[in-house]
């Protein structure tokens, strides 16, 4: 599964995207646990930690909004992490 980070999520993760080789039947919630288990450098000064960003983010699964974190993922799926955006 590929995870792509945008905006503040990218800054907190320190990468644009990551690949996770997880067991069949893994859910969005399970993938997020794997994301948080990665040993990362501290986020830039003033940036919130990744766990806080993930708790407030929206997610796309293969470019379709997914709100149910119990949704089961398949190998090759792409999950986009979209933190809240400000502006008008």
């Amino acid at each position: 599964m590929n995870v792509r980070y945008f905006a503040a999520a990218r800054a907190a993760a320190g990468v644009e995207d990551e690949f996770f080789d997880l067991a069949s039947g893994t859910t969005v919630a399970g993938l997020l646990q794997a994301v948080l288990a990665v040993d990362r450098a501290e986020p830039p000064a003033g940036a919130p930690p990744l766990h806080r960003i993930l708790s407030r983010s929206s997610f796309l699964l293969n470019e379709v909004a997914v709100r149910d974190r119990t949704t089961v993922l398949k190998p090759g799926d792409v999950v986009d992490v979209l933190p809240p955006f400000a502006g008008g």
Side-chain angles (χ1 to χ4, degrees):
M1 291 138 215
N2 191 35
V3 179
R4 300 186 303 188
Y5 303 100
F6 293 87
R10 179 182 296 162
V15 295
E16 289 185 27
D17 64 335
E18 295 181 287
F19 179 79
F20 292 87
D21 187 17
L22 302 174
S24 180
T26 297
T27 63
V28 172
L31 176 62
L32 296 178
Q33 287 177 337
V35 165
L36 292 174
V38 172
D39 187 25
R40 300 180 190 279
E42 289 293 317
L50 186 57
H51 71 86
R52 187 180 313 159
I53 292 171
L54 291 178
S55 71
R56 296 179 176 143
S57 292
S58 300
F59 303 96
L60 300 179
L61 173 57
N62 301 322
E63 300 184 7
V64 176
V66 61
R67 289 178 174 77
D68 183 358
R69 292 187 182 196
T70 64
T71 300
V72 175
L73 303 173
K74 300 181 298 285
D77 279 346
V78 176
V79 175
D80 295 327
V81 179
L82 306 172
F85 293 93

